[in-house]
Amino acid sequence: MYFSTLCGVAAASLALVSATPIQKRYNTYTITFIGAAGAQYTVPVPFDGQSHDTGNALSISSVSAPSPVDIAAQCILDTVDFPPALVNQGNGVWTVGPPQTVLSISCTESSSQPSPPPSTDYVTIEFDGADPSLGAKFSLQIPLDGAAHDVNNALSISAVVETYGSIDLSTNCKFVGVDSNKGGAAAPVLAPAGSNRWQVGPPQTILSVACFLHANPGH
């Protein structure tokens, strides 16, 4: 009797353990947020895809992370202003442009995330410099409201990429570059250069972008 009772308790315990879901453990990395004059703070961030508050109002001009973290590919910074551009400076450091307070950060363990569906509210544009493979690039989300939105990045742009293939940047957007005030011939011209990619000629710093859901009537 005692033996059968003991076996019953053991079986019930085993069933309980089997029914308890095993929670996945996520890696946690310490991200350093750097402001002006050496001011900085750190936040331990679980790479679980959830938003984690920074709890600090310091205006951030760069972030750093230990290897193998790729902040631009794996993380999203929620800031007080427009979504920032992250430019890889090497050695685990990314410049944040424009500098601003970071409210929270969310990161995932893999940089190969499924692409979200195209939005009818904004377009995601990748701005490529001379060698984007070395980090000379940044991305911005531009609202499809027809208004000019500042880029706030001095990188000289030689190509632009529309991430999800939902908008033709050559017909639906107007790019204003530093050379635009020198006449029409010097304003940036977009020429098709493959799938969702356009060459910018002549290469130059882009000051602002205005995009429309439908073709820009001004083109």
Side-chain angles (χ1 to χ4, degrees):
M1 178 69 179
Y2 175 77
F3 178 75
S4 61
T5 301
L6 184 61
C7 289
V9 171
S13 300
L14 182 60
L16 180 61
V17 171
S18 300
T20 302
I22 299 176
Q23 293 185 341
K24 180 179 178 179
R25 294 184 178 181
Y26 295 93
N27 291 324
T28 296
Y29 296 94
T30 298
I31 309 300
T32 302
F33 297 81
I34 306 166
Q40 64 181 47
Y41 63 89
T42 60
V43 176
V45 179
F47 276 49
D48 56 4
Q50 302 300 309
S51 179
H52 300 277
D53 294 340
T54 63
N56 197 302
L58 181 67
S59 181
I60 301 304
S61 54
S62 63
V63 292
S64 68
S67 178
V69 174
D70 184 335
I71 289 288
Q74 295 176 255
C75 301
I76 296 175
L77 303 184
D78 180 25
T79 58
V80 294
D81 296 320
F82 201 70
L86 297 173
V87 179
N88 191 351
Q89 301 298 322
N91 298 318
V93 177
W94 286 260
T95 297
V96 177
Q100 54 190 296
T101 297
V102 177
L103 302 175
S104 64
I105 180 173
S106 59
C107 301
T108 58
E109 291 184 342
S110 173
S111 59
S112 57
Q113 306 174 43
S115 299
S119 171
T120 58
D121 298 322
Y122 62 85
V123 58
T124 301
I125 302 176
E126 178 184 293
F127 296 78
D128 290 350
D131 195 341
S133 66
L134 296 180
K137 63 180 180 179
F138 61 90
S139 296
L140 291 177
Q141 291 180 343
I142 305 298
L144 295 170
D145 56 6
H149 296 275
D150 293 339
V151 171
N152 294 311
N153 195 300
L155 182 67
S156 181
I157 302 304
S158 56
V160 289
V161 181
E162 200 284 284
T163 308
Y164 304 123
S166 58
I167 296 292
D168 185 335
L169 298 185
S170 64
T171 60
N172 291 52
C173 297
K174 179 181 180 181
F175 293 80
V176 176
V178 293
D179 295 332
S180 294
N181 61 352
K182 298 179 182 179
V189 175
L190 271 58
S195 178
N196 306 329
R197 183 181 179 86
W198 291 262
Q199 291 297 124
V200 176
Q204 58 188 283
T205 297
I206 302 298
L207 302 178
S208 67
V209 186
C211 291
F212 303 78
L213 179 58
H214 304 290
N216 178 6
H219 274 273

